Amino acid sequence: MSRADMSKDGSIGIIRRIQRFPVKSMGSDALDTVELRWNGLAGDRQYAFVKTNDRGRFPYLTGRDLPDLLRYRARYLKPEDPKASALTVASPKGGEYDIDDPALCRELSEAAGEPVHLMQLGRGHFDSAVLSLVSTTTAGRLAQAHGDDIDLQRFRINLLVEPTDTKTWERDWLGKRVAIGNQEVRLRTDRPIDRCVMITLDPQTAQRTPAIMKTVARQFANQIGIYGTVEQPGPISQGDSIRFIEA
């Protein structure tokens, strides 16, 4: 990206949405502001349900096993302090549970057809990296390639960024170091995110659209969004600008 692609204040983009996922593979929690920590957004993917009898390398219960898991909505009662907060889960069947309520485990076990149990992990249950971001420009590129709109929520990204230059998307930022807001918060943009069948699931209905996987695989080398590493933690908010900083 050239300097012509930046705003007068050096911004390459603005944060338009922040979202975390308190429970792995469940619905997201939209935030106005949040603490960005060494292990990602505070409270992100702190809990997961694990298949009790699975001794493999990836024992998690996810939408790949149970698509309706995406329709469960977890929320911290004190969203500003997830470490100390209680967490509740609203079921698409109509019930609401504390995260450690055995009745929730029973419901999920029955739906999955096998026993599951809750696991909490302070550093988070991440598949690969602790922070992800995507640009608003990507929505247009996906729609053009697919012939129809594709909701970016399918990609379960933490930060949605609107680039200053509308021709820019997140891959143009790879390998850069960036500052957010007051420039005390810093990230390094590492690598593209390889995608799996989770993106075929509608985040609202859990219905599958296999053609989306084909579009992403054929037109985008199976990669949408990029991972980031936190170099300096601190608070971030919607509307914060993002700027390049020297390596």
Side-chain angles (χ1 to χ4, degrees):
M1 179 186 292
S2 69
R3 290 192 176 276
D5 299 326
M6 303 179 189
S7 67
K8 292 181 180 179
D9 65 355
S11 171
I12 63 167
I14 302 293
I15 295 178
R16 291 304 185 198
R17 186 169 70 228
I18 303 172
Q19 59 183 14
R20 67 182 168 195
F21 301 83
V23 181
K24 187 177 183 67
S25 225
M26 288 189 180
S28 65
D29 181 12
L31 303 165
D32 293 327
T33 188
V34 68
E35 188 78 13
L36 181 60
R37 298 175 176 170
W38 296 113
N39 60 330
L41 302 183
D44 192 33
R45 295 167 170 93
Q46 293 293 289
Y47 297 85
F49 285 89
V50 175
K51 293 176 280 186
T52 302
N53 297 327
D54 191 331
R55 297 294 184 265
R57 297 180 62 185
F58 193 88
Y60 296 112
L61 179 71
T62 73
R64 283 169 285 193
D65 311 293
L66 180 63
D68 266 352
L69 198 60
L70 276 69
R71 300 175 61 216
Y72 283 77
R73 295 288 181 263
R75 66 185 183 94
Y76 292 104
L77 299 187
K78 295 181 179 179
E80 73 283 358
D81 187 13
K83 185 176 182 180
S85 176
L87 181 68
T88 63
V89 175
S91 165
K93 297 181 179 181
E96 186 164 0
Y97 306 94
D98 292 334
I99 186 63
D100 56 356
D101 189 334
L104 176 58
C105 262
R106 288 195 295 270
E107 181 175 313
L108 293 175
S109 296
E110 181 178 348
E114 60 180 308
V116 303
H117 64 271
L118 179 67
M119 181 183 293
Q120 183 179 7
L121 190 63
R123 60 182 175 83
H125 297 272
F126 298 100
D127 291 352
S128 183
V130 300
L131 189 73
S132 57
L133 62 93
V134 72
S135 68
T136 54
T137 313
T138 302
R141 294 192 178 205
L142 283 165
Q144 184 177 15
H146 190 60
D148 198 2
D149 290 341
I150 295 178
D151 187 354
L152 289 179
Q153 295 276 36
R154 288 177 179 268
F155 300 95
R156 302 177 68 81
I157 295 285
N158 294 128
L159 304 180
L160 176 67
V161 179
E162 180 181 356
T164 302
D165 173 22
T166 57
K167 296 180 181 179
T168 297
W169 67 324
E170 63 271 12
R171 289 197 200 177
D172 295 318
W173 304 331
L174 281 171
K176 305 292 186 180
R177 296 175 67 240
V178 299
I180 300 178
N182 62 10
Q183 300 193 33
E184 293 299 319
V185 180
R186 297 194 298 273
L187 304 176
R188 184 180 69 246
T189 54
D190 292 325
R191 63 188 189 279
I193 303 173
D194 293 321
R195 291 300 170 179
C196 69
V197 295
M198 282 287 291
I199 66 172
T200 68
L201 298 174
D202 185 298
Q204 304 302 322
T205 67
Q207 295 297 308
R208 294 186 187 274
T209 309
I212 290 176
M213 189 81 239
K214 294 180 181 178
T215 296
V216 172
R218 293 172 180 173
Q219 303 296 323
F220 298 89
N222 204 41
Q223 297 171 332
I224 294 291
I226 59 177
Y227 284 127
T229 298
V230 181
E231 292 192 338
Q232 179 60 55
I236 60 173
S237 301
Q238 282 193 59
D240 278 352
S241 63
I242 297 182
R243 300 171 177 83
F244 286 145
I245 54 178
E246 296 298 325

